[in-house]
Amino acid sequence: MAAVKHPVRIKGVKDGLLFLLDDSCPFESVIGDLTTKLEKTHQHILTGPLIHVFVKLGKRTVSEEEKEKIREIIGTRGNLLIQSIESENDKPEEKAEAPIHLVKSIVRSGQILHMEGNLLLIGDVNPGGTVSATGDIYVMGSLRGMAHAGTQGNEKAIITASHMKPTQLRIAQIISRPPDEWAIGDTYMEFAYINNGVMEIDKVQHMSRIRP
């Protein structure tokens, strides 16, 4: 005999309970089986202290109203806390853009300015001064000290300055060549970026080549 296929299966996982809702049967059947399990057949494992619940919909796409119906039924058991309702068809959430922190200052010798996200500095970085950020660094002034962008390993980060004369540049874990090897001019605003594991410097008007 073929095994009976249940619209709803409940499995114990490390962090609580996993509710697997079959995606090949009508939604009404899923709701009916879910109600039966919560009210009758599975009471012995659904009672007691607070339990985190993770609902997996398979390839089924549901509306917000249908999700609310699932929440409503599971919510009748006061000790069941829904942590997520997920479908394989859900689009992954896009990461939010890192914030840009605006600082108006001069970073003098011995000073360190660090930001989580992107840093926009209106001012100079003097020799001996350091600016760093987990994202990009934009210096609207002279960069004559040290700059480290992508401090948490982001090799797509860039460093831009109106006047690029740094003692050292670093993006992620990649350190720039010695200053006397840089082909840096005095006329154009420039930026540093990583290209095939090597730091390159170009005019800022060419940034669209790596940031379309």
Side-chain angles (χ1 to χ4, degrees):
M1 292 180 60
V4 177
K5 194 170 186 180
H6 294 283
V8 178
R9 289 181 295 135
I10 301 175
K11 295 174 60 177
V13 294
K14 179 182 177 181
D15 298 322
L17 291 175
L18 186 62
F19 281 48
L20 301 168
L21 310 189
D22 191 288
D23 56 15
S24 63
C25 59
F27 184 72
E28 292 75 14
S29 299
V30 171
I31 292 300
D33 193 41
L34 180 61
T35 302
T36 299
K37 283 182 166 60
L38 289 173
E39 294 181 354
K40 299 177 182 178
T41 62
H42 285 61
Q43 282 189 342
H44 60 291
I45 66 170
L46 302 177
T47 56
L50 292 176
I51 303 172
H52 290 172
V53 172
F54 306 87
V55 180
K56 299 290 186 182
L57 303 170
K59 295 184 182 299
R60 184 191 301 273
T61 299
V62 297
S63 65
E64 284 302 317
E65 290 77 11
E66 289 170 330
K67 282 187 179 182
E68 189 57 38
K69 185 66 176 176
I70 294 170
R71 293 189 188 98
E72 181 182 323
I73 294 173
I74 296 176
T76 59
R77 311 289 305 189
N79 64 315
L80 300 184
L81 300 178
I82 295 180
Q83 300 299 300
S84 63
I85 299 178
E86 297 179 347
S87 167
E88 293 177 18
N89 294 329
D90 291 341
K91 293 181 179 179
E93 293 185 6
E94 295 184 0
K95 291 185 177 179
E97 290 288 331
I100 297 179
H101 299 281
L102 172 63
V103 178
K104 299 177 182 178
S105 180
I106 294 176
V107 180
R108 305 184 188 281
S109 178
Q111 293 181 330
I112 298 174
L113 174 63
H114 175 75
M115 287 293 171
E116 298 290 323
N118 302 312
L119 169 62
L120 171 58
L121 174 68
I122 299 179
D124 298 333
V125 182
N126 289 347
T130 299
V131 288
S132 65
T134 58
D136 301 333
I137 294 175
Y138 305 90
V139 178
M140 303 300 290
S142 294
L143 173 54
R144 294 179 290 146
M146 186 270 198
H148 185 184
T151 56
Q152 295 180 350
N154 179 13
E155 293 189 3
K156 294 186 180 298
I158 62 173
I159 300 170
T160 302
S162 300
H163 185 230
M164 186 83 84
K165 288 291 183 181
T167 53
Q168 185 188 89
L169 298 178
R170 181 180 295 187
I171 297 176
Q173 301 305 314
I174 297 174
I175 301 174
S176 61
R177 295 166 294 172
D180 56 4
E181 295 183 15
W182 297 336
I184 300 178
D186 293 319
T187 307
Y188 300 99
M189 186 172 185
E190 288 142 329
F191 74 104
Y193 65 101
I194 300 301
N195 180 27
N196 295 323
V198 177
M199 191 178 300
E200 303 284 351
I201 293 178
D202 202 348
K203 297 173 184 176
V204 75
Q205 56 262 44
H206 297 157
M207 191 184 297
S208 59
R209 295 174 182 175
I210 64 167
R211 293 278 181 89

